[in-house]
């Protein structure tokens, strides 16, 4: 377990993962559930366990739409979306760059793409 990485993710997310009671409601409401190898409740659990490297290597960090449905649904106010975002940010920082260049995006657009995905893509650039 990488303690520094866990501290970094907890600090940047501002989430208390210990509040999670593992009810799975966040994952049940997630519109990206079928696209994600690891689901929101697993992000919370795995960050608590310090298994963050596995999450950082997963495509799941790029599948989250940042819709915050999981945040609304959580009965414990855990805010799983912030955990997913913090892990993604840690991965981008470790890679030293964004996953895509802005110029790569137009070629990926099609009529079926949800508008939320486009808005989210714009948020996924390192600040
Ligand atoms: S909804 Fe909240 S309490 Fe339930 S598993 Fe998800 S993060 Fe944990
Ligand atoms: S913010 Fe991400 S993890 Fe949460 S419900 Fe939306 S797509 Fe799923």
């Amino acid at each position: 377990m990488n303690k520094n990485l866990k501290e970094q993710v907890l600090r940047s997310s501002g989430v208390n993962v210990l509040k999670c009671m593992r009810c799975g409601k966040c994952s049940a409401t997630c519109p990206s559930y079928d696209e994600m190898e690891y689901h929101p409740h697993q992000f919370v659990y795995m960050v608590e366990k310090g298994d963050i490297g596995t999450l950082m290597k997963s495509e799941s960090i790029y599948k989250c739409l940042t819709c915050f449905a999981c945040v609304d649904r959580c009965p414990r106010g855990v805010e799983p979306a912030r955990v997913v975002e913090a892990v993604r940010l840690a991965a981008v920082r470790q890679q030293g760059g964004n996953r895509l260049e802005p110029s790569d995006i137009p070629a990926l657009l099609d009529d079926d793409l949800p508008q939320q995905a486009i808005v989210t893509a714009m948020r996924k650039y390192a600040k």
Side-chain angles (χ1 to χ4, degrees), residues 7-120:
E7 278 165 23
Q8 182 191 321
V9 167
L10 291 179
R11 196 171 50 245
S12 71
S13 69
V15 166
N16 179 358
V17 288
L18 294 174
K19 286 197 299 184
C20 176
M21 60 180 184
R22 295 181 201 155
C23 65
K25 286 182 177 170
C26 51
S27 295
T29 201
C30 175
S32 288
Y33 184 92
D34 290 342
E35 306 292 323
M36 293 172 87
E37 177 186 9
Y38 297 105
H39 305 117
H41 76 284
Q42 289 171 298
F43 269 82
V44 174
Y45 176 72
M46 288 167 76
V47 166
E48 186 200 333
K49 294 289 162 218
D51 190 7
I52 297 166
T54 306
L55 294 172
M56 286 168 69
K57 283 188 225 124
S58 170
E59 286 287 300
S60 301
I61 57 176
Y62 302 110
K63 303 292 182 184
C64 168
L65 297 169
T66 326
C67 69
F68 279 62
C70 54
V71 173
D72 279 348
R73 192 73 183 87
C74 177
R76 304 274 292 164
V78 175
E79 302 187 300
R82 294 191 192 281
V83 176
V84 178
E85 178 70 6
V87 174
R88 187 195 63 76
L89 208 56
V92 167
R93 283 189 178 137
Q94 196 175 74
Q95 283 159 205
N98 291 306
R99 175 176 158 87
L100 297 171
E101 293 298 323
S103 56
D104 296 332
I105 292 175
L108 299 172
L109 300 179
D110 65 45
D111 291 343
D112 294 332
L113 197 69
Q115 286 184 353
Q116 178 70 37
I118 300 170
V119 173
T120 300

